[in-house]
Amino acid sequence: MAADVTRGELLRLPHDYERYGLDPDAQPVADAVRASTAVPYLYEPFELRYDGGTSQLVDGGLITNYPIDTFDRTDGQPARWDTVGVTLLPKLPEGDPQLLPQIRLARVLPGVRFLESVVVTAVVGRDQGYLAQPWVQERSIEVDSSNVAAPFDFGIDSAQAEELYQHGRDAATQFLARPR
């Protein structure tokens, strides 16, 4: 998943290369990976060049962090396999997104608390509403990351890494033990 910030669209790569007149089978996988990991203000956008222009692509998490329905069939046939997702999305504290410790744009852009609240609400808030839907909850393993690390804190210590691992293991064990 990537977001085309030039055209204001969410992209599923490689499928959506056709919208740019490009053959999906001829595009390097590395380009799609690069585009989908271009977190705004942390990494440079990926420039997709095509006949008629250039688009700047960034991480699809700008629009959705948990696109589990991307894997759903659209032809009305039953799924061959169950789709299960794992999410580490933080919960927004009620009433005050400023209390959210996981996403701190202020570390990157000092003095932008209001912008931080807007971005947190736009990105995380949309995904929390989506995750609250029963058809999404029933196939999602929600890992508690609230006291572990920020999404872009690449320097967590071994104790934090172990805690996150244990939270993931516990969540997966509980998920797999549920009656189906």
Side-chain angles (χ1 to χ4, degrees):
M1 304 300 283
D4 181 336
V5 295
T6 304
R7 295 164 85 170
E9 300 174 333
L10 179 65
L11 304 175
R12 286 180 330 136
L13 301 177
H15 308 292
D16 289 334
Y17 279 125
E18 291 177 344
R19 293 166 44 191
Y20 297 87
L22 300 171
D23 178 3
D25 293 329
Q27 304 311 305
V29 172
D31 287 356
V33 171
R34 170 66 177 83
S36 72
T37 60
V39 177
Y41 294 104
L42 293 182
Y43 302 106
E44 291 290 321
F46 176 77
E47 289 197 353
L48 178 66
R49 298 182 195 287
Y50 54 95
D51 286 343
T54 300
S55 283
Q56 290 190 316
L57 306 184
V58 299
D59 176 15
L62 180 69
I63 298 172
T64 180
N65 276 307
Y66 196 68
I68 195 169
D69 56 352
T70 297
F71 301 102
D72 293 348
R73 292 185 69 152
T74 58
D75 61 4
Q77 298 297 313
R80 289 182 276 177
W81 304 283
D82 290 338
T83 303
V84 176
V86 178
T87 177
L88 293 122
L89 291 175
K91 302 278 188 220
L92 279 175
E94 283 189 33
D96 189 2
Q98 286 296 330
L99 299 175
L100 185 66
Q102 287 79 7
I103 298 177
R104 298 267 45 122
L105 286 180
R107 291 181 188 162
V108 179
L109 303 171
V112 291
R113 288 211 173 274
F114 180 71
L115 175 61
E116 179 181 19
S117 295
V118 170
V119 171
V120 167
T121 301
V123 175
V124 178
R126 183 240 179 244
D127 286 325
Q128 292 305 319
Y130 179 70
L131 283 166
Q133 297 181 48
W135 66 274
V136 175
Q137 279 186 343
E138 72 185 21
R139 58 187 182 159
S140 297
I141 300 172
E142 293 186 43
V143 178
D144 178 10
S145 64
S146 59
N147 294 321
V148 179
F152 305 112
D153 185 357
F154 301 115
I156 65 173
D157 61 33
S158 59
Q160 289 174 306
E162 180 60 32
E163 182 180 0
L164 184 58
Y165 169 80
Q166 194 58 51
H167 284 246
R169 184 182 177 104
D170 293 345
T173 300
Q174 289 173 2
F175 179 85
L176 293 172
R178 294 186 325 197
R180 301 239 184 263

